[in-house]
Amino acid sequence: MKFTEFNFNENLVEGIQASGYEDATPVQEQVIPLVLQGKDVIASAQTGTGKTAAFLLPLINNIISAPIDHHSITALVIVPTRELAVQIAQHMEGLSYFTSVSSIAVYGGGDGNAFVQEKKALSAGADVVICTPGKMLAHINMGYVKLQGLKYLVLDEADRMLDMGFYDDIMRIIQALPAKRQNLLFSATMPTKIRELARKILHHPEEVNISISKPNEKIIQLAYVVYDTQKIPLVKYILGQKEFSSVLIFCSSKISVKQLNRELRRTTLKVDEIHSDLEQSKREEVLMHFKSGRLNILVATDILSRGIDIDNIGLVINYDVPHDGEDYVHRIGRTARAAADGTAITFISVKEQRKFGQIEKLLGRTVTKVPVPEQFGEAPEYNPTAFIPRDGKKSGKKPFRHNKDRSVNKR
């Protein structure tokens, strides 16, 4: 199903297209119409099935389309960790970029400036607030959070929140919300305690059960565990070992795309880049050159992970680990199309080990780890369960801005 078939607001459609989305995943195809119809939903969907867009897109569309209280929070998305809050907020920012819908992430571990920004947003009113339970409850207990106009409540990764002991915090937050609202609950598993929670907060919910899609069995999946400084030399090494018909390299940021393209252009390789900084006409020109064979290496952001229709891509390199399992499947699915075989190689840096471990768990298989060639020096060991991400100050959160067009967190 195409995203154009949902009849979203044209400004939201522009954000969807800019984010590189064309075809809806199964969870999006089932959940979005239910949310647009105003129904409560309980969905069994793991991280990596596309569930974030499944609730963000209809929420954004409804906020654009219906009258709202501009001095209140309209939608509250509760998640278990600050990492997930930041990730969803970034997703929200991209999808809502061409709309006036405002958003902010609220989570613990920030400094005084972050608290001031959060207080300003929560007391002035924001369209969508993505938060962790403890930090949100702390703000609510201080008495300035405007919730009188709230219309939507989303509990994401509900099973994980209960495992982490957030049940009481969640129920206290819910007690502060208007009784009349639309509720969406997402959980990877549906144990008894989740069913009990659903009975308490959902009203005649529709139930959706989704499992993650699997990659084509013909794809040879490999991975290198590396330090960040080893990535560019290793790309050059891999490209020099064998001649591929065409190679697609995915990076998670425009900065990485530009840097890698610049380095590869210093060799004899025919390479170019695609990312959102380029005009549409330039993107189309580069893609046409890639399809025709004038270029055989394309470095891109996830703008190309969905919908690119080229059958002869022999190698996909994930220069950075994708955000989740669904993105991983979409990226590597660009190879081994039609009757062809293909190879997908992923670089796993130290800070990405936990994320890749989650992807392997969702896929139900271990991806073969290839030793880094000795000439590149010692490489890190792969131990995703032992790695704990550093909680640094650079969280990726952007300042809250509240103005007449309610434009918050805009790039």
Side-chain angles (χ1 to χ4, degrees):
M1 183 176 184
K2 301 288 185 183
F3 278 101
T4 51
E5 298 178 52
F6 291 115
N7 296 318
F8 286 135
N9 177 278
E10 60 182 10
N11 293 327
L12 176 55
V13 170
E14 196 171 356
I16 293 170
Q17 292 173 342
S19 297
Y21 289 95
E22 290 187 6
D23 299 310
T25 66
V27 70
Q28 293 160 358
E29 190 171 331
Q30 294 188 47
V31 169
I32 289 174
L34 296 175
V35 180
L36 292 175
Q37 293 167 28
K39 296 181 181 294
D40 282 14
V41 175
I42 177 171
S44 176
Q46 297 175 318
T47 297
T49 56
K51 63 181 172 62
T52 300
F55 63 77
L56 285 183
L57 287 172
L59 289 185
I60 296 169
N61 190 77
N62 288 351
I63 291 169
I64 296 170
S65 307
I68 62 171
D69 183 347
H70 291 286
H71 302 289
S72 170
I73 296 167
T74 305
L76 188 64
V77 181
I78 306 178
V79 300
T81 65
R82 61 171 289 168
E83 289 79 16
L84 184 56
V86 171
Q87 181 178 319
I88 293 176
Q90 291 171 344
H91 207 149
M92 171 77 191
E93 182 183 348
L95 294 173
S96 66
Y97 184 75
F98 298 100
T99 76
S100 60
V101 177
S102 61
S103 64
I104 188 170
V106 174
Y107 49 79
D111 55 18
N113 290 331
F115 179 84
V116 171
Q117 292 165 8
E118 291 171 355
K119 181 179 179 181
K120 181 179 179 181
L122 298 174
S123 57
D127 292 325
V128 180
V129 173
I130 303 107
C131 65
T132 52
K135 188 62 181 293
M136 189 65 197
L137 184 60
H139 281 292
I140 289 174
N141 289 338
M142 293 181 191
Y144 48 73
V145 180
K146 298 296 192 300
L147 294 166
Q148 73 278 359
L150 186 128
K151 292 185 175 183
Y152 310 101
L153 171 67
V154 180
L155 298 181
D156 193 17
E157 298 197 4
D159 51 348
R160 190 175 173 194
M161 284 196 283
L162 297 194
D163 288 341
M164 294 170 68
F166 284 131
Y167 177 84
D168 290 340
D169 287 351
I170 291 171
M171 296 310 297
R172 290 190 186 103
I173 292 172
I174 290 173
Q175 289 170 5
L177 306 180
K180 188 177 181 180
R181 62 179 187 269
Q182 187 175 2
N183 304 285
L184 312 175
L185 185 152
F186 294 85
S187 182
T189 58
M190 287 292 167
T192 302
K193 57 186 178 181
I194 292 295
R195 297 286 180 184
E196 292 174 352
L197 177 64
R199 281 195 292 270
K200 289 182 179 180
I201 67 173
L202 303 181
H203 181 68
H204 300 306
E206 297 285 341
E207 188 162 345
V208 175
N209 294 288
I210 297 294
S211 60
I212 190 170
S213 55
K214 300 294 183 180
N216 188 331
E217 292 295 330
K218 294 187 296 183
I219 301 173
I220 301 170
Q221 299 180 56
L222 306 171
Y224 288 91
V225 183
V226 298
Y227 292 110
D228 285 327
T229 53
Q230 295 172 318
K231 286 187 175 183
I232 289 178
L234 189 55
V235 170
K236 293 179 179 178
Y237 171 83
I238 292 170
L239 296 177
Q241 295 302 297
K242 178 182 176 181
E243 186 173 343
F244 294 92
S245 55
S246 57
V247 180
L248 194 50
I249 305 176
F250 285 111
C251 301
S252 294
S253 71
K254 291 178 287 189
I255 293 175
S256 294
V257 168
K258 294 173 183 178
Q259 180 185 22
L260 180 57
N261 181 55
R262 188 167 55 247
E263 290 293 328
L264 293 180
R265 280 192 163 187
R266 291 176 179 172
T267 67
T268 58
L269 299 170
K270 294 183 292 183
V271 58
D272 211 332
E273 62 189 37
I274 283 188
H275 47 76
S276 60
D277 280 352
L278 299 179
E279 295 291 338
Q280 183 63 31
S281 58
K282 178 60 177 177
R283 290 186 217 168
E284 291 174 356
E285 177 187 339
V286 172
L287 191 55
M288 182 179 65
H289 289 169
F290 186 56
K291 287 181 177 181
S292 68
R294 291 177 62 182
L295 295 171
N296 67 326
I297 300 170
L298 186 57
V299 186
T301 56
D302 279 320
I303 198 169
L304 276 189
S305 67
R306 291 168 164 83
I308 182 173
D309 187 21
I310 301 175
D311 290 335
N312 64 338
I313 295 174
L315 173 65
V316 170
I317 297 177
N318 290 315
Y319 186 81
D320 304 297
V321 173
H323 282 303
D324 54 40
E326 191 71 33
D327 284 343
Y328 178 82
V329 171
H330 277 288
R331 281 188 183 186
I332 72 171
R334 300 311 95 198
T335 189
R337 305 186 73 184
D341 295 326
T343 301
I345 297 174
T346 301
F347 291 174
I348 311 168
S349 68
V350 176
K351 62 185 178 183
E352 296 172 318
Q353 288 196 20
R354 179 176 168 185
K355 191 187 330 185
F356 195 75
Q358 292 171 340
I359 290 173
E360 288 183 311
K361 184 177 179 181
L362 289 167
L363 296 176
R365 61 163 293 176
T366 299
V367 175
T368 301
K369 310 300 182 302
V370 182
V372 174
E374 291 184 2
Q375 63 262 39
F376 299 114
E378 184 180 354
E381 293 182 4
Y382 184 62
N383 192 355
T385 57
F387 177 67
I388 300 175
R390 293 179 60 187
D391 190 12
K393 293 183 178 180
K394 293 184 179 180
S395 65
K397 178 185 287 191
K398 296 187 178 182
F400 178 87
R401 300 198 305 274
H402 187 81
N403 52 36
K404 290 183 179 179
D405 71 358
R406 296 178 58 71
S407 177
V408 183
N409 282 352
K410 295 291 183 260
R411 286 176 285 188

